[in-house]
Amino acid sequence: YLGHISEIVYCTIKSFGLQEGNLYAAYCPMAFNNQGAYWITNNQDINNPYMGSKMPKCGEIKEAL
């Protein structure tokens, strides 16, 4: 569900300009069998929630919100 929630939060932030501090849209290309998925984070350091302990640093910041 994290992918769906992140998408909703992302759209809400972009649509209404909501933000408190720095937020980032991070992307993991390997999530969900290489379909890829975003998550919203308040840190520029990658701590991938999709790959967990297997690949915690997989991903990149795609956008500052």
Side-chain angles (χ1 to χ4, degrees):
Y1 296 107
L2 179 60
H4 296 293
I5 292 170
S6 292
E7 185 176 339
I8 291 167
V9 170
Y10 174 84
C11 290
T12 302
I13 290 168
K14 294 298 277 187
S15 294
F16 297 103
L18 305 175
Q19 65 184 67
E20 289 186 27
N22 295 327
L23 294 176
Y24 305 93
Y27 181 73
C28 173
M30 298 178 72
F32 304 115
N33 294 320
N34 295 321
Q35 290 181 2
Y38 284 89
W39 74 95
I40 305 300
T41 181
N42 64 347
N43 194 324
Q44 287 186 345
D45 296 330
I46 297 297
N47 190 10
N48 190 324
Y50 297 110
M51 303 306 287
S53 62
K54 294 179 191 175
M55 298 179 72
K57 301 300 178 193
C58 176
E60 64 181 309
I61 299 297
K62 289 287 195 175
E63 183 179 0
L65 303 175

